[in-house]
Amino acid sequence: MNPLAHNIRPQKLEDVIGQKHLIGPNQVLYNLTKNKKLFSMILYGPPGTGKTTLAYALINELQLPSGFLNAVINSKKDFDEMVIKAKETENFVLIMDEIHRLNKDKQDLLLPYLENGIITLIGMTTANPYHSINPAIRSRCQLFELKPLSKEDIKEGLERSKQHLDNLEVTDEALDYIASLAGGDLRYAYNLLEVSYYSTDNFKVDLETVKKINNKPNLYIDKNDDGYYDVISALQKSIRGSDVNAALHYLARLIAAEDLDIIFRRLSVIAYEDIGLANPAIGPRLNVCIAACERLGLPEARIPLGEIVIEMALSPKSNSAYEAIASALNDVYKGNVGKVPSHLRTNSKDYKYPHSFKGSYVKQQYLPDELVGTEYYHPKLSSKYEVSLKNIYDKIKNKSN
């Protein structure tokens, strides 16, 4: 017996839930079907957003012959057979799941038929196609992003699904709870409702029924996909932007994924890239936090992590050190290096030892001749500490002039 999510799959574009930016009136996919024309495309977005549903709805609307392949599961022989079928069938559409995992042999097989139009491809992936899909395939396809469904979208789908479960009685509270847990994934919501339905002896589903099965939200944090790295990126950008509440939210999502190592690594980057010289004590404080987390483990590690993230988000920020080393490296990579001045070379007798002079400073050239006058470090005045560094920096520059 097919699962509920399969049985309820829409056959027409107008019945697809969500994605109004693509299928709403006068939107791109709506107009393609209206004009009876289909181009090769890649549909990408999180699980349960309707990629497969949308692909089949397009095929049904346009009444086009089609075949389905999975880039991982199906063999090269399966691909060969699909090419033969496409040659024998006009306007053939190949629907391909997990297209980001298409290996070179299969790509080489498909490319000429995409090029000459014998095959129209609808690829589907949860990965970002700009990073994960072969450029030769990507350049022959239009890219369309599917968004996570809203809670209202999920509830609409659940309401539609009720008629497919005989004698189901479900409370509004239970439906609302399922929609809240789904995290924008309609397939997850269908599956949870179906399990709840069959877990009863009278087909009556209430809030307690659902909670017995699952009371944790469906978090899209797949370490092999972009959603995971989006959360990591959002954590850093929230701390950088001093939004303590957003930073705590993304931290909580990473804690729920139970990957302390990535949290430690990313917070270490933030400490030196975004906070830097504005609060140089944050690095050692973070190391103390990490040591505590390693001793405590989860779930208790959440406590020191929450504390340090609050402190980092509200700390003064400076990326002056980050920009300084980036600028210096840019010179090195471009070949702007020059020879080390003779008095700085090993065993030079002309070197002046600063500690032998008043204030431990003596005027002498340190940069290569070609780079004299170059300034990599540009202080920021976001904290008293870096202001003090700037004052020292300015005094040294004045003495050098």
Side-chain angles (χ1 to χ4, degrees):
M1 183 174 67
N2 289 325
L4 175 63
H6 181 274
N7 293 335
I8 201 174
R9 177 167 284 157
Q11 299 300 308
K12 296 180 180 179
L13 214 57
E14 63 184 22
D15 295 329
V16 174
I17 293 173
Q19 314 309 334
K20 299 307 179 189
H21 65 294
L22 297 176
I23 63 175
N26 208 33
Q27 298 302 317
V28 57
L29 296 184
Y30 174 92
N31 285 337
L32 285 180
T33 57
K34 180 181 176 182
N35 294 320
K36 309 265 184 223
K37 184 66 177 177
L38 193 65
F39 297 91
S40 289
M41 65 181 71
I42 294 170
L43 305 175
Y44 69 101
T49 50
K51 296 181 290 293
T52 304
T53 294
L54 187 51
Y56 279 108
L58 287 168
I59 298 304
N60 291 333
E61 287 271 354
L62 297 172
Q63 298 182 324
L64 296 173
S66 65
F68 180 91
L69 289 173
N70 182 297
V72 177
I73 297 172
N74 290 106
S75 66
K76 188 173 180 293
K77 180 182 178 182
D78 297 325
F79 277 70
D80 287 328
E81 291 174 356
M82 204 63 71
V83 167
I84 293 171
K85 187 175 180 181
K87 289 178 178 178
E88 298 171 347
T89 311
E90 190 175 356
N91 297 322
F92 184 80
V93 179
L94 174 59
I95 300 172
M96 187 182 303
D97 200 9
E98 298 195 74
I99 190 171
H100 63 288
R101 303 194 182 203
L102 194 64
N103 66 31
K104 189 175 185 303
D105 287 346
K106 296 171 185 176
Q107 289 171 17
D108 292 344
L109 178 65
L110 285 178
L111 278 173
Y113 302 105
L114 291 180
E115 189 71 41
N116 61 26
I118 289 177
I119 290 177
T120 299
L121 176 69
I122 301 181
M124 300 170 295
T125 177
T126 57
N128 186 331
Y130 296 97
H131 300 155
S132 59
I133 292 180
N134 180 285
I137 294 284
R138 195 174 67 231
S139 68
R140 290 162 173 81
C141 299
Q142 302 302 313
L143 308 181
F144 298 117
E145 182 179 7
L146 277 68
K147 308 289 187 182
L149 301 182
S150 69
K151 184 177 177 181
E152 289 68 30
D153 291 332
I154 301 291
K155 289 177 73 173
E156 179 186 345
L158 290 171
E159 287 290 343
R160 289 190 198 179
S161 71
K162 290 195 296 187
Q163 60 185 310
H164 293 264
L165 296 171
D166 294 338
N167 301 316
L168 169 65
E169 292 182 29
V170 56
T171 65
D172 291 340
E173 193 178 24
L175 289 179
D176 189 72
Y177 186 65
I178 293 172
S180 297
L181 292 179
D185 184 336
L186 185 55
R187 182 172 54 241
Y188 177 91
Y190 286 150
N191 291 343
L192 183 51
L193 177 60
E194 188 174 22
V195 173
S196 300
Y197 168 78
Y198 283 109
S199 71
T200 68
D201 60 0
N202 56 6
F203 305 129
K204 292 181 179 179
V205 176
D206 59 15
L207 182 59
E208 290 307 311
T209 307
V210 180
K211 284 186 173 181
K212 287 177 182 177
I213 297 165
N214 193 344
N215 60 5
K216 290 186 177 180
N218 176 40
L219 297 172
Y220 177 49
I221 305 182
D222 183 342
K223 297 174 187 178
N224 296 315
D225 281 317
D226 294 309
Y228 183 60
Y229 296 98
D230 288 343
V231 174
I232 298 166
S233 173
L235 172 66
Q236 179 163 8
K237 289 169 182 172
S238 298
I239 293 176
R240 181 186 295 152
S242 301
D243 190 325
V244 66
N245 296 305
L248 287 167
H249 170 77
Y250 295 115
L251 173 66
R253 288 169 68 165
L254 291 170
I255 289 173
E258 300 184 355
D259 189 346
L260 289 177
D261 285 344
I262 191 63
I263 297 173
F264 297 160
R265 289 197 300 272
R266 186 51 63 109
L267 290 181
S268 296
V269 169
I270 297 167
Y272 293 97
E273 177 181 346
D274 296 305
I275 296 173
L277 293 171
N279 183 4
I282 204 70
R285 285 182 58 75
L286 175 60
N287 285 336
V288 171
C289 170
I290 291 171
C293 291
E294 288 174 337
R295 285 197 301 271
L296 293 170
L298 287 171
E300 285 81 4
R302 74 191 188 282
I303 304 168
L305 283 173
E307 181 177 318
I308 197 69
V309 163
I310 291 170
E311 185 175 354
M312 292 174 76
L314 298 179
S315 171
K317 308 294 191 302
S318 173
N319 67 342
S320 59
Y322 168 81
E323 290 187 337
I325 189 61
S327 182
L329 281 169
N330 186 50
D331 264 352
V332 172
Y333 293 146
K334 289 193 301 185
N336 296 336
V337 288
K339 290 184 178 180
V340 174
S342 59
H343 58 281
L344 298 184
R345 296 173 194 169
T346 306
N347 299 324
S348 170
K349 296 180 179 179
D350 296 324
Y351 172 62
K352 298 175 183 178
Y353 187 58
H355 295 297
S356 299
F357 295 83
K358 183 179 179 180
S360 294
Y361 176 81
V362 60
K363 183 177 179 179
Q364 66 182 329
Q365 179 182 328
Y366 290 94
L367 278 168
D369 292 342
E370 297 88 339
L371 294 174
V372 169
T374 299
E375 293 187 15
Y376 297 121
Y377 175 54
H378 300 281
K380 294 195 173 182
L381 308 181
S382 54
S383 71
K384 290 181 180 179
Y385 181 80
E386 195 158 12
V387 168
S388 69
L389 290 183
K390 181 182 183 302
N391 292 335
I392 297 169
Y393 184 51
D394 289 343
K395 286 179 182 178
I396 292 172
K397 284 199 298 182
N398 291 334
K399 288 179 181 178
S400 300
N401 294 332

